[in-house]
Amino acid sequence: MTTTTTLTPGEPTVTARTLAGARDLPTRPSVRETVSQSLALAWRALLKMRRNPEQLVDVTFQPLLFTAMFAYIFGGAISGSVSDYLPLLIPGILAQTALTACMATGIQLREDMDKGVFDRFKSLPIARIAPLVGPAVADLVRYGTAATLTILAGLAMGYRPAGGLLGVVAGWLLTLVAGWSLAWIFTWLGTVARSAQAVQGISMMVMFPLTFLSNAFVPADTLPGWLQAFVRFNPVSHVVTAVRDLLNSGAVTGDVGWALLGCALVVAVFGTLSVRTYSRKM
């Protein structure tokens, strides 16, 4: 038996069968739908990059500038010559440019939230994580651009990676994985900070210790003992060492495993925090 309730003239009738059907509707998107929605939002982010090419300035000019600047300023003092310093420097610049590039993820996220873009996403039947994963996937293009230009700049200056093509590709891929993983730290900052300027300021405070208090530019054993302990604990140091092993010898060492494990832990912790904070605010 079907009961019918008429609300007011002109409004549609609602039946008990209709209400029962509504209760049976899925409340959460499936994994396949979540992936599809995330890719759609990644495409949106890529279109924004195409229409605003200035978003790629930091990943096009900065790798070239930093590679040349650090090599010619510190090469002779640290390794005796620029050519001897490049095997130490290039993996460090790869990590630095990836970390600098992923800072923009949190800043852009905060700007979109302030402009009300995410209010529109909230009204759509999409997975809560999709608006966060989409831009993060699109930013892989930025990390790839920065890593490619860094390697090309090193080759132009005389760097010859002994790991060969496979080692270079493996190091390039590890850089992308590390950049994507560390971006979740800045994504979380984008969900908790009150403005894009605040995200940028806090991100700089996070980036500089992680980058410069690592083995990216100098051997760790030349540092004071107390600083060596921090450098060895620093996840960026593990990424730099792993990329260094891949580029300079083509060896898949234990540091590669530690770097991947560290990346997985960062995603697990800060990815979860980002989704929770975003869901509370939206």
Side-chain angles (χ1 to χ4, degrees), residues 60-217:
T60 51
F61 292 103
Q62 181 175 296
L64 304 177
L65 175 63
F66 279 11
T67 302
M69 183 174 64
F70 279 94
Y72 290 116
I73 292 177
F74 299 115
I78 295 176
S79 299
S81 67
V82 172
S83 59
D84 291 336
Y85 185 47
L86 288 176
L88 178 76
L89 174 68
I90 296 302
I93 294 293
L94 285 172
Q96 184 200 38
T97 53
L99 189 60
T100 305
C102 68
M103 268 191 355
T105 303
I107 298 172
Q108 188 62 48
L109 172 66
R110 184 69 255 178
E111 288 180 349
D112 283 345
M113 293 176 71
D114 291 340
K115 292 176 181 177
V117 174
F118 281 74
D119 291 332
R120 283 178 274 173
F121 293 155
K122 181 176 62 174
S123 64
L124 299 175
I126 61 175
R128 288 297 188 192
I129 197 174
L132 302 180
V133 173
V137 172
D139 279 343
L140 288 172
V141 174
R142 303 178 73 252
Y143 312 148
T145 301
T148 300
L149 290 177
T150 299
I151 294 173
L152 290 177
L155 293 174
M157 296 171 64
Y159 175 51
R160 297 297 179 264
L165 180 60
L166 290 179
V168 171
V169 172
W172 183 84
L173 288 174
L174 182 57
T175 301
L176 265 64
V177 171
W180 187 82
S181 304
L182 294 172
W184 284 102
I185 300 176
F186 303 105
T187 298
W188 175 68
L189 290 175
T191 62
V192 297
R194 296 185 178 182
S195 65
Q197 291 79 8
V199 176
Q200 184 174 14
I202 298 172
S203 298
M204 295 293 287
M205 293 175 60
V206 173
M207 184 201 71
F208 278 109
L210 286 177
T211 303
F212 290 99
L213 298 184
S214 71
N215 62 350
F217 306 113

